[in-house]
Amino acid sequence: CIEAEMSQMLEKHVFHPVHRDTLSRDQIRKLIPSAMFIKEKFLPAGSFDKLKARLVGRGNYQDPDDYGEVSSPTAALVSVQMTAAIAAHEGREVISMDFDGAYLNSPQKTEVNMEIDAELSRYLINVATGDMKKDLIACRGPTGKIIVGVDHALYGLIESGKLWYDNITAFLTTLGLIANPRDPCIFNDGPATDADGKLREQLTVCLYVDDVLATCTNLAKLDEFAGSLQAKFKKTKRVDGKVHSYLGMTLDFTRKGTCSVHMDKYIADVLEDTNTVGSKRTPSTADLFAIDAEASLLGGGQEKDFHSMVARLLFASKRARIDIQCVVAFLTTRVRSPTTQDWDKLTKPQHLLH
């Protein structure tokens, strides 16, 4: 998977090798390191799909003062949920799409030079061919590291998110899509109804960084939209059907007029990590809001486990398990100084999920 990621870097001309001797002292001072992350990818049902490698630039080494506005929006969770609910209610067809190396499609606007460590450089040279291979070898330093000039937005760099957002939204606009005034990451090809108040075959597109959810009652319009994206952004993956994996959720449109939201794999991992056994019918007892001032503070790392687990349950409660939302919302107020009483309360929603 590392070689596949490095091949993608070369195919999309993400960077070019730079000899250290050609850089000024200031350019060397601003060199940033890189890193490679490897994570598991799972199918909507929770089964293992593949290992995914991603080369990133260490943007934490960049000086924010060297850049202008770099923030970019993402679709609000409630917007995603409303998009799914409307699709189910109107009986729309649904497709989801994932851009392969989305950021890499956007040209870099400012100069960034990055250093790739010796081990990753070996992978890079191994997949390179022709003149690129020769140039990489020529620019490899005595320690095996290679410096590259970044030509396209790379994950991890401080302005890459903004560059990609500007790129993809500009393209969506050329397709006749209009951003929703209340959420700039929800696009429609016009109003939901015509002049007579009847429903149109409206195309709705939800954009969350590099993940797309598109809905329409007219499958031909979805095909045309997906084809345009795939023609512009190569290797864009399309998923059809009644079940879609989106933002950590499984959206199931199998039942007519309904969208069921599941996070079975995520919740199973939470329960496994906490060794939860047994089950309960409610997420709390009547003393949820009672605070025992005499209860002992958690220590020995248990307070960090408490904070982490509350955050993980919060993620699930906002998406698929609204039945634990009240309990988790209260526990978020206890993460700074959790006690043994709070820990006991934390086990209650875990047993409900079991």
Side-chain angles (χ1 to χ4, degrees):
C1 62
I2 295 178
E3 287 193 347
E5 174 69 354
M6 287 305 193
S7 293
Q8 179 178 223
M9 296 294 116
L10 298 178
E11 289 171 6
K12 294 193 173 183
H13 307 288
V14 177
F15 46 62
H16 62 276
V18 175
H19 201 286
R20 189 180 185 92
D21 291 345
T22 65
L23 298 178
S24 67
R25 181 175 299 179
D26 187 58
Q27 288 174 315
I28 293 176
R29 180 181 63 83
K30 291 183 177 181
L31 271 177
I32 64 169
S34 61
M36 181 71 76
F37 290 96
I38 300 176
K39 66 176 182 179
E40 296 176 324
K41 301 282 284 187
F42 294 89
L43 298 173
S47 58
F48 175 77
D49 182 19
K50 62 181 180 180
L51 287 176
K52 170 71 175 179
R54 174 163 287 170
L55 180 70
V56 302
R58 298 286 298 276
N60 55 307
Y61 282 81
Q62 292 178 282
D63 186 350
D65 293 336
D66 291 340
Y67 306 89
E69 178 60 51
V70 295
S71 62
S72 58
T74 56
L77 179 59
V78 66
S79 297
V80 176
Q81 294 167 331
M82 289 176 65
T83 298
I86 292 171
H89 178 71
E90 296 182 359
R92 297 188 181 197
E93 299 290 338
V94 180
I95 65 171
S96 54
M97 303 186 74
D98 177 33
F99 299 94
D100 185 39
Y103 284 15
L104 310 182
N105 293 291
S106 305
Q108 180 69 25
K109 292 185 177 181
T110 59
E111 183 185 57
V112 175
N113 292 303
M114 182 177 73
E115 194 168 52
I116 301 176
D117 69 36
E119 183 176 358
L120 292 179
S121 292
R122 285 195 293 271
Y123 280 101
L124 182 59
I125 291 173
N126 189 49
V127 299
T129 59
D131 291 339
M132 175 58 72
K133 191 182 191 77
K134 294 177 182 177
D135 291 343
L136 288 169
I137 293 173
C139 291
R140 183 169 51 180
T143 61
K145 297 179 180 180
I146 295 176
I147 295 174
V148 296
V150 180
D151 299 313
H152 286 79
L154 187 67
Y155 287 89
L157 298 185
I158 199 168
E159 60 180 341
S160 293
K162 181 68 162 57
L163 294 174
W164 163 245
Y165 175 79
D166 290 345
N167 187 8
I168 182 61
T169 54
F171 180 71
L172 293 179
T173 300
T174 68
L175 300 181
L177 292 163
I178 304 169
N180 187 294
R182 298 185 181 276
D183 191 326
C185 292
I186 303 296
F187 294 80
N188 295 293
D189 66 347
T193 57
D194 60 22
D196 297 323
K198 296 181 180 179
L199 285 175
R200 294 176 56 252
E201 293 179 338
Q202 183 190 50
L203 170 65
T204 298
V205 176
C206 176
L207 174 68
Y208 195 100
V209 190
D210 55 359
D211 291 309
V212 166
L213 189 72
T215 73
C216 186
T217 55
N218 187 336
L219 183 58
K221 289 182 71 171
L222 283 175
D223 290 339
E224 182 180 1
F225 166 73
S228 297
L229 278 190
Q230 291 173 322
K232 173 68 174 179
F233 305 103
K234 308 303 181 184
K235 297 185 179 180
T236 298
K237 180 182 177 182
R238 169 178 171 171
V239 176
D240 290 81
K242 299 296 185 181
V243 181
H244 296 267
S245 180
Y246 195 68
L247 309 185
M249 302 175 287
T250 297
L251 306 178
D252 189 340
F253 296 90
T254 302
R255 183 180 175 186
K256 185 177 180 180
T258 301
C259 175
S260 300
V261 184
H262 308 285
M263 297 180 69
D264 295 343
K265 175 65 170 59
Y266 180 89
I267 291 173
D269 288 343
V270 169
L271 298 179
E272 181 180 355
D273 291 345
T274 55
N275 298 313
T276 300
V277 294
S279 61
K280 292 185 180 296
R281 298 178 60 185
T282 60
S284 70
T285 54
D287 66 345
L288 172 63
F289 301 110
I291 298 176
D292 183 1
E294 303 300 322
S296 302
L297 292 173
L298 297 179
Q302 195 174 18
E303 72 282 3
K304 294 181 180 179
D305 292 339
F306 178 88
H307 195 161
S308 174
M309 189 51 58
V310 169
R312 294 174 71 180
L313 292 181
L314 180 64
F315 184 83
S317 73
K318 291 289 188 179
R319 288 160 173 77
R321 295 304 300 257
I322 194 173
D323 49 348
I324 65 171
Q325 199 168 96
C326 179
V327 178
V328 176
F330 171 74
L331 293 176
T332 61
T333 68
R334 305 293 300 163
V335 294
R336 291 191 176 184
S337 301
T339 66
T340 53
Q341 182 193 37
D342 297 319
W343 184 270
D344 182 63
K345 292 176 181 178
L346 177 62
T347 64
K348 301 296 193 298
Q350 294 171 5
H351 285 118
L352 175 69
L353 297 175
H354 191 261

